[in-house]
Amino acid sequence: METLSTNKAHDGVQGVYRHASLATGTEMTFSVYVPPHPAGAKLPVLWYLSGLTCTHANVTDKGEYRRACAERGVIFIAPDTSPRGEGVPNDDAYDFGQGAGFYVDATEAPWASHFRMRSYIEQELPELIAAEFPADMTRQGITGHSMGGHGALTIALRNPDRFRSVSAFAPIVAPSVVPWGEKALAGYLGADRTAWHPYDACALILDGARVGELLVDVGDADQFLHDQLRPELLRAACDAAGIPLTLRVQPGYDHSYYFISTFLTDHVAWHAERLTA
């Protein structure tokens, strides 16, 4: 692991790091905020998965989470959204290819050789975090925005014993039935829609996956709310499955980091209550 930068913030350390990933076959960059803590202490971990076009830098620069993490003693990890670099396939559209990995393990050419973000987020990066940082991997939470909200929900639903808490900002809750998701899942996984189920939160719930509870924030001024996000489908799936869902529709907020930064401290506190109990 190579350290690209470190900065002191709220008496903790905000770092940006790079390593050679076996899962993606590329170098991957991620950021980690480690709050102040006693020597030898192990701290709970909150993962943040970013949305379309983003890297680790968007939330690191705009998220305004560090004070809350320092006060609550929570490590905050922000991976990239896809493999990148020379030789990595790409697409001219913003919603497919580099910057748009959708947290899947692709099976279709040419994407299958590098686009293995599920394996990277679920297996490889956690092993690196456990080895290099003072992380208590028995106390993990996960959140994310938009495509990253989709990632957070599906990863938690597939790994309910690993994550004590899961939340999301403006998540794509049913990618199998919205334009962003249909394009990405067909391109990465092929035309067989049954292969899409592990990457669709509503489908996972309907197939029997469960988590203890969910917190979701959306803005009622989000331009993608009705055609891409469809939070009402998550409400229906959770109601049918008996999963407690706190779905907060925030008046006047859009899809941007103005929205995320306003409520990210709430989410950090919500996760911390569940990770430190």
Side-chain angles (χ1 to χ4, degrees):
M1 187 181 74
E2 176 186 2
T3 300
L4 300 181
S5 66
T6 57
N7 297 93
K8 186 174 182 179
H10 298 285
D11 291 324
V13 176
Q14 176 65 67
V16 179
Y17 307 92
R18 182 168 58 204
H19 73 116
S21 167
L22 295 176
T24 68
T26 67
E27 290 191 330
M28 296 293 291
T29 302
F30 61 97
S31 75
V32 179
Y33 177 70
V34 179
H37 60 281
K42 294 286 190 178
L43 306 178
V45 170
L46 178 58
W47 296 85
Y48 178 93
L49 304 184
S50 295
L52 289 167
T53 77
C54 292
T55 71
H56 70 282
N58 297 77
V59 71
T60 305
D61 294 345
K62 302 175 184 178
E64 301 180 19
Y65 55 84
R66 278 170 285 269
R67 180 185 293 277
C69 287
E71 292 173 350
R72 300 282 184 159
V74 174
I75 293 174
F76 190 96
I77 304 169
D80 202 348
T81 55
S82 78
R84 302 177 191 271
E86 185 176 353
V88 176
N90 199 11
D91 189 274
D92 290 337
Y94 77 94
D95 56 356
F96 195 67
Q98 294 187 34
F102 268 82
Y103 304 99
V104 308
D105 277 358
T107 57
E108 296 295 297
W111 314 102
S113 58
H114 294 292
F115 280 69
R116 299 184 55 79
M117 291 301 294
R118 173 180 179 175
S119 293
Y120 180 69
I121 298 296
E122 288 187 357
Q123 300 171 25
E124 184 176 23
L125 189 54
E127 291 175 359
L128 182 64
I129 295 298
E132 298 288 345
F133 296 92
D136 180 354
M137 304 305 279
T138 69
R139 294 186 290 161
Q140 296 185 71
I142 191 166
T143 188
H145 171 233
S146 193
M147 179 186 71
H150 139 78
L153 294 176
T154 56
I155 289 170
L157 285 162
R158 290 194 304 263
N159 299 276
D161 296 334
R162 182 181 302 181
F163 296 97
R164 292 193 188 183
S165 55
V166 54
S167 72
F169 296 87
I172 306 168
V173 305
S176 297
V177 297
V178 300
W180 276 342
E182 287 184 307
K183 177 180 179 178
L185 298 182
Y188 295 134
L189 304 173
D192 180 3
R193 287 177 174 256
T194 60
W196 302 5
H197 280 207
Y199 303 107
D200 183 309
C202 289
L204 282 165
I205 292 169
L206 293 175
D207 287 346
R210 298 291 183 266
V211 293
E213 59 181 325
L214 294 171
L215 170 64
V216 173
D217 274 305
V218 298
D220 71 0
D222 191 317
Q223 65 269 41
F224 304 114
L225 182 63
H226 301 296
D227 61 342
Q228 302 281 14
L229 307 182
R230 305 288 307 275
E232 73 279 3
L233 298 180
L234 182 64
R235 165 63 72 195
C238 287
D239 286 349
I243 298 174
L245 167 65
T246 301
L247 175 59
R248 307 191 302 190
V249 181
Q250 305 292 358
Y253 284 91
D254 58 18
H255 201 69
S256 72
Y257 267 87
Y258 296 107
F259 159 60
I260 297 165
S261 64
T262 300
F263 299 103
L264 187 48
T265 55
D266 286 356
H267 283 238
V268 170
W270 185 86
H271 283 275
E273 289 176 359
R274 288 148 182 80
L275 296 175
T276 58

